C-alpha cells in the first residue's frame, strides 16, 4: 500500500504525512496542490528543469510552502516495509491482502547520476494517462486537444461513427473518476437504446420470446373455448375421484 494514481481518491489516507508526487504536467500540479491541503509535506519529482504544466498551475505549486520541488530527478525505486499487523494473522496466499507499505524512494539525479534515499509514506504517480483506445484508430475521430481520447458529439456519448458510443475514461480527459465513468456509461446505454429504436433494430431474443408467449396464449384460449361448463373434479387432476360417489351414497342414506 502507498502507491496511487489518484490523489483525490487516496490523499486523505495520508493526512499529516510526507508524500511524493511524480510528474511535471497539469495532472501532477493538481495532485500536488490537492495533497498539500492535508499532507505535512509534498515532494514533487520532475525529470526536467521546467514544468510542462500551465503557468497558472505551475506558479501555484512553486509558491506553496508545503510543496518541495526536486528538479532533474527521477524515481529509481520505491522501497517498502512489512505491514505491522499488530498480532493479527495474515493470509499470504490472498493477493488482496497488503503485506507491505511504502517507506521511501530511491531518487536519481539525471544530470550528475547520483542517487539518494528519501523517506516518505506514499507515492502518487501523475505522469499522465493513456486511454486504451488504440484499437479504434482509423475507425472513429479522436480529440485533437487530448491525445488518445475519443471525440464525442457535444454532451452525448455519440462518436463520429453511428452505432459506436464512448463512455468513461476513453472520452473524459478532465475528471477520470469512477463515478463520472458510471454516469457516462448510463448515458451511453440510453444513447445506444435510442439508436437501436430509431434504426428499427431490437432484441431478437426478446421478440422471439414474445411471439412464443403469444402463440401459447392463443393455443390455451382455443382449448378453453372448446370446453363446455366447468368440472372441478377434472381440474383437480383426478385427485377427487370417488368423492362425488361417496357423497351421493351418503345422501341416499
Amino acid at each position: 500500500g502507498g502507491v496511487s494514481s489518484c490523489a483525490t481518491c487516496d490523499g486523505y489516507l495520508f493526512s499529516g504525512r510526507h508524500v511524493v508526487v511524480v510528474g511535471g504536467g497539469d495532472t501532477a500540479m493538481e495532485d500536488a496542490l490537492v495533497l498539500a491541503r492535508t499532507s505535512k509535506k509534498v515532494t514533487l519529482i520532475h525529470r526536467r528543469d521546467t514544468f510542462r504544466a500551465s503557468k497558472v498551475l505551475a506558479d501555484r505549486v512553486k509558491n506553496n510552502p508545503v510543496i518541495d520541488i526536486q528538479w532533474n530527478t527521477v524515481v529509481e525505486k520505491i522501497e517498502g516495509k512489512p505491514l505491522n499487523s499488530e498480532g493479527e494473522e495474515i493470509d499470504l496466499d490472498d493477493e488482496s491482502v497488503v503485506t507491505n507499505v511504502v517507506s521511501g524512494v530511491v531518487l536519481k539525479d539525471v544530470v550528475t547520476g547520483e542517487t539518494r534515499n528519501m523517506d516518505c509514506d506514499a507515492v502518487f504517480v501523475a505522469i499522465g494517462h493513456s486511454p486504451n483506445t488504440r484499437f479504434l484508430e482509423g475507425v472513429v475521430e479522436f480529440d485533437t486537444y487530448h491525445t488518445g481520447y475519443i471525440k464525442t458529439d457535444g454532451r452525448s456519448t455519440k462518436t463520429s461513427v453511428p452505432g459506436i458510443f464512448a463512455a468513461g475514461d476513453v472520452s473524459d480527459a478532465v475528471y477520470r473518476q469512477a463515478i463520472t465513468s458510471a454516469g457516462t456509461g448510463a448515458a451511453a446505454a440510453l444513447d445506444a437504446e435510442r439508436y437501436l429504436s430509431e434504426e428499427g433494430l431490437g432484441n431478437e431474443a426478446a421478440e422471439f420470446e414474445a411471439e412464443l408467449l403469444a402463440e401459447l396464449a392463443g393455443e390455451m384460449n382455443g382449448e378453453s373455448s372448446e370446453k363446455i361448463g366447468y368440472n372441478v373434479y377434472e381440474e383437480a387432476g383426478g385427485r377427487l375421484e370417488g368423492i362425488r360417489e361417496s357423497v351421493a351414497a351418503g345422501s341416499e342414506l
Side-chain angles (χ1 to χ4, degrees), residues 7-8 19-20 37 39 43-44 47 61 64 92-93 106 148 156 159 187 192 216 225 238 241 244:
T8 306
V19 299
V20 168
R37 301 172 186 169
S39 301
T43 300
L44 183 59
R47 59 180 177 175
V61 167
N64 194 307
L92 298 179
D93 295 327
V106 178
S156 73
T159 66
L216 292 174
S225 62
E241 183 178 355
R244 177 169 49 184

Side-chain angles (χ1 to χ4, degrees), residues 117-173:
N117 295 333
M118 175 185 288
D119 294 335
C120 66
D121 297 297
V123 177
F124 290 85
V125 182
I127 57 176
H129 298 79
S130 180
N132 188 19
T133 56
R134 186 172 299 177
F135 69 100
L136 287 173
E137 291 181 356
V139 179
V140 299
E141 185 177 353
F142 281 75
D143 192 332
T144 55
Y145 298 100
H146 301 94
T147 304
Y149 289 88
I150 298 174
K151 181 179 180 180
T152 55
D153 183 13
R155 299 181 63 182
S156 73
T157 62
K158 299 177 182 178
T159 66
S160 58
V161 178
I164 298 180
F165 304 91
D169 291 2
V170 298
S171 59
D172 177 17

Side-chain angles (χ1 to χ4, degrees), residues 44-80:
L44 183 59
I45 309 296
H46 186 42
R47 59 180 177 175
R48 298 187 177 92
D49 58 358
T50 57
F51 286 134
R52 295 180 292 104
S54 64
K55 186 178 184 304
V56 174
L57 288 175
D59 289 343
R60 289 180 59 190
V61 167
K62 294 176 182 178
N63 296 326
N64 194 307
V66 179
I67 302 176
D68 175 49
I69 304 172
Q70 298 289 321
W71 302 103
N72 298 315
T73 305
V74 295
V75 176
E76 285 283 284
K77 180 182 179 182
I78 299 176
E79 297 184 324

Side-chain angles (χ1 to χ4, degrees), residues 77-89:
K77 180 182 179 182
I78 299 176
E79 297 184 324
K81 62 182 179 181
L83 177 65
N84 182 12
S85 60
E86 299 182 355
E88 297 181 1
E89 295 184 359

Side-chain angles (χ1 to χ4, degrees), residues 1-2 80-85 88-102:
K81 62 182 179 181
L83 177 65
N84 182 12
S85 60
E88 297 181 1
E89 295 184 359
I90 297 178
D91 185 2
L92 298 179
D93 295 327
D94 187 354
E95 297 181 356
S96 64
V97 175
V98 177
T99 58
N100 291 280
V101 293
V102 171

Side-chain angles (χ1 to χ4, degrees), residues 141-233:
E141 185 177 353
F142 281 75
D143 192 332
T144 55
Y145 298 100
H146 301 94
T147 304
Y149 289 88
I150 298 174
K151 181 179 180 180
T152 55
D153 183 13
R155 299 181 63 182
S156 73
T157 62
K158 299 177 182 178
T159 66
S160 58
V161 178
I164 298 180
F165 304 91
D169 291 2
V170 298
S171 59
D172 177 17
V174 180
Y175 301 104
R176 297 189 299 267
Q177 298 294 316
I179 190 169
T180 55
S181 295
T184 55
L190 294 172
D191 287 340
E193 191 279 333
R194 185 176 296 108
Y195 170 79
L196 293 174
S197 298
E198 292 175 350
E199 295 296 320
L201 303 173
N203 190 329
E204 296 181 357
E207 292 179 358
F208 175 76
E209 182 180 357
E211 293 177 0
L212 181 60
L213 290 174
E215 183 179 348
L216 292 174
E219 293 179 356
M220 293 178 64
N221 290 335
E223 291 178 358
S224 61
S225 62
E226 296 176 358
K227 294 182 178 180
I228 301 176
Y230 176 75
N231 190 331
V232 66
Y233 303 102

